[in-house]
Amino acid sequence: MRISGRARGGTGAFPTGGDPTGERAGTGWQGHRRPSLQVMAEGELPAVLILDIGGTHGILEDIAALLKKHFHLITMKEFLGNKEEMRKKIQSVYVFECRPTIDRELLESLPNLKVIANSGVGVDHLDLKMISSFGVKVTNTPHAVADPTADIGMALMLASARRLVEGCHIALSPGTKYFAVDWLGVEVTRATLGIIGMGSIGYKVAQRARAFNMRILYHNRNRRRKEEEEAVGAHYCAKMEDLLQQSDFVMLVVNLTPETHKLIGKKELGLMKPTATLINISRGAVIDQDALVEALQNKVIRAAALDVTYPEPLPRDHPLLHLNNIIITPHIGTATVHATRMMAEEAIANMLAVLNDQPIPSEVFPK
């Protein structure tokens, strides 16, 4: 299982075709009709640069097979070994789990590059302004990630509330002789959930939370339409502080931007209930991790459940790894067979649209 440098789960910038954590509910093709991907003849296939196939950081074999229906794949090793022949052929780069690294040197070496297609929605690992200065477009896959990322948010909330990880260890431990009657969790049903970042992923979290009869609060840059709020029973908090003070569970579903870097720090954690749980499915750097360690150690909040950290993976001696009131998963928000394929299909549709001068489903623009 890959646990480093994922471009999964959280968010990074706003595309045109449907925003990941922005202002609208899950728009786009997921759940409806998929992109029409016509297979081109072998001799006509445009070249796309990838890091590798298989191995620790390469694209999955199934995804490579899908890409090969539409592109001639060139690995980074092949490119570096024969730059003069390859450099003019490459028109696209497929970025999978933040690789290959897109820097100025690479961009300068690819004179015919037209598009960088990111598999995943978060693009905080890409310098959008620099890439744009080369006349290269950037795309992402917001529609494919919304459902699985919302699912992992709910899974983390339930696992933390009912202490599933601890419970599993107790049940499996060879030293367990009995189950303690005072080993208790908390309930999700009818609790208050505060969602910070009510875009397509956040809205899908709200849809799921409604089935648990949760009271749903949300904070977002822009308030959603009244009918959207009523559909999930969500209440808008203009001030994040109000949401933090009222919520039993706080879930972070925001873009990582300069404004949201360390959005949750010592002050914000201090506003939360001592019985509250913090859940992060966006980006690790949205939380001040030093402040979180202190808050968990001193019982300022009850617990935390994180699918993302900074860095990934955390150093093995990091204090977060040695607390018993935290769950950390290896950035698996979109780590499903279905989502991985859907992201590849969405990325392929984006690349083909750029190369064929057609409307781009999910283009990301620099701010």
Side-chain angles (χ1 to χ4, degrees), residues 276-320:
T277 299
L278 179 65
I279 302 150
N280 190 8
I281 56 172
S282 57
R283 281 291 187 265
V286 169
I287 297 176
D288 180 340
Q289 290 181 162
D290 292 337
L292 180 60
V293 168
E294 184 180 339
L296 291 172
Q297 288 175 335
N298 297 326
K299 312 298 182 187
V300 175
I301 62 173
R302 172 186 170 271
L306 315 174
D307 187 44
V308 287
T309 60
Y310 183 80
E312 293 176 349
L314 288 172
R316 297 298 87 184
D317 61 349
H318 195 284
L320 279 178

Side-chain angles (χ1 to χ4, degrees), residues 5 20 28 83 86 150 168 189 225 279 284 290 294 309-310 316 323 335 343 357-358:
K83 266 191 178 183
M86 301 289 189
C168 182
T189 300
R225 297 192 301 271
I279 302 150
D290 292 337
E294 184 180 339
T309 60
Y310 183 80
R316 297 298 87 184
L323 298 173
M343 287 191 292
D357 294 321
Q358 295 176 348

Side-chain angles (χ1 to χ4, degrees), residues 245-260:
Q245 290 173 330
Q246 298 179 61
S247 299
D248 299 305
F249 300 91
V250 174
M251 193 175 300
L252 303 174
V253 203
V254 296
N255 294 320
L256 177 58
T257 66
E259 292 75 30
T260 61

Side-chain angles (χ1 to χ4, degrees), residues 11-324:
T11 54
F14 292 98
T16 55
D19 59 310
T21 63
E23 322 310 331
R24 302 195 302 278
T27 57
W29 54 267
Q30 188 180 18
H32 301 285
R33 184 174 53 178
R34 295 188 189 184
S36 177
L37 303 178
Q38 286 189 324
V39 178
M40 301 175 72
E42 181 68 31
E44 302 172 354
L45 296 180
V48 60
L49 180 66
I50 61 173
L51 179 70
D52 200 0
I53 300 174
T56 304
H57 301 302
I59 65 174
L60 305 176
E61 296 282 353
D62 289 349
I63 301 308
L66 188 62
L67 285 165
K68 286 177 181 178
K69 293 179 181 179
H70 309 277
F71 300 94
H72 169 58
L73 273 54
I74 298 174
T75 67
M76 184 61 73
K77 182 178 180 180
E78 291 170 336
F79 169 64
L80 294 176
N82 194 358
K83 266 191 178 183
E84 283 309 308
E85 180 183 343
M86 301 289 189
R87 62 192 297 267
K88 293 184 179 180
K89 294 181 179 180
I90 296 169
Q91 295 179 287
S92 309
V93 179
Y94 180 69
V95 178
F96 178 74
E97 298 193 355
C98 303
R99 295 178 176 87
T101 300
I102 307 298
D103 54 22
R104 182 172 293 276
E105 181 182 357
L106 179 64
L107 292 169
E108 288 175 344
S109 68
L110 300 174
N112 295 321
L113 183 63
K114 294 183 178 180
V115 57
I116 293 169
N118 187 67
S119 179
V121 65
V123 293
D124 44 276
H125 54 290
L126 299 175
D127 187 335
L128 298 179
K129 288 184 179 179
M130 180 190 69
I131 295 168
S132 178
S133 72
F134 283 84
V136 176
K137 297 184 182 297
V138 174
T139 66
N140 65 353
T141 60
H143 310 306
V145 307
D147 279 317
T149 306
D151 287 349
I152 203 70
M154 294 300 293
L156 287 169
M157 179 165 60
L158 288 163
S160 180
R162 300 305 299 270
R163 301 171 67 183
L164 291 188
V165 176
E166 292 176 76
C168 182
H169 289 159
I170 291 170
L172 297 177
S173 173
T176 297
K177 304 299 182 185
Y178 61 90
F179 295 154
V181 295
D182 60 349
W183 190 87
L184 305 172
V186 297
E187 291 201 19
V188 167
T189 300
R190 289 180 293 275
T192 298
L193 170 63
I195 302 171
I196 300 177
M198 190 66 137
S200 59
I201 297 171
Y203 196 80
K204 286 180 179 290
V205 169
Q207 290 175 325
R208 288 154 173 74
R210 194 181 189 200
F212 287 84
N213 293 318
M214 300 189 82
R215 177 182 176 229
I216 301 168
L217 309 177
Y218 78 97
H219 173 73
N220 202 48
R221 291 183 306 176
N222 298 311
R223 185 170 182 171
R224 279 184 169 269
R225 297 192 301 271
K226 183 178 179 181
E227 56 267 31
E228 291 175 331
E229 292 180 340
E230 291 177 347
V232 294
H235 304 277
Y236 180 63
C237 293
K239 295 181 179 180
M240 187 175 70
E241 291 79 5
D242 294 338
L243 178 149
L244 294 172
Q245 290 173 330
Q246 298 179 61
S247 299
D248 299 305
F249 300 91
V250 174
M251 193 175 300
L252 303 174
V253 203
V254 296
N255 294 320
L256 177 58
T257 66
E259 292 75 30
T260 61
H261 183 261
K262 294 188 178 181
L263 177 70
I264 302 298
K266 184 174 182 177
K267 174 187 173 184
E268 290 73 26
L269 291 163
L271 291 173
M272 294 173 63
K273 296 179 179 180
T275 54
T277 299
L278 179 65
I279 302 150
N280 190 8
I281 56 172
S282 57
R283 281 291 187 265
V286 169
I287 297 176
D288 180 340
Q289 290 181 162
D290 292 337
L292 180 60
V293 168
E294 184 180 339
L296 291 172
Q297 288 175 335
N298 297 326
K299 312 298 182 187
V300 175
I301 62 173
R302 172 186 170 271
L306 315 174
D307 187 44
V308 287
T309 60
Y310 183 80
E312 293 176 349
L314 288 172
R316 297 298 87 184
D317 61 349
H318 195 284
L320 279 178
L321 302 181
H322 305 287
L323 298 173
N324 61 10

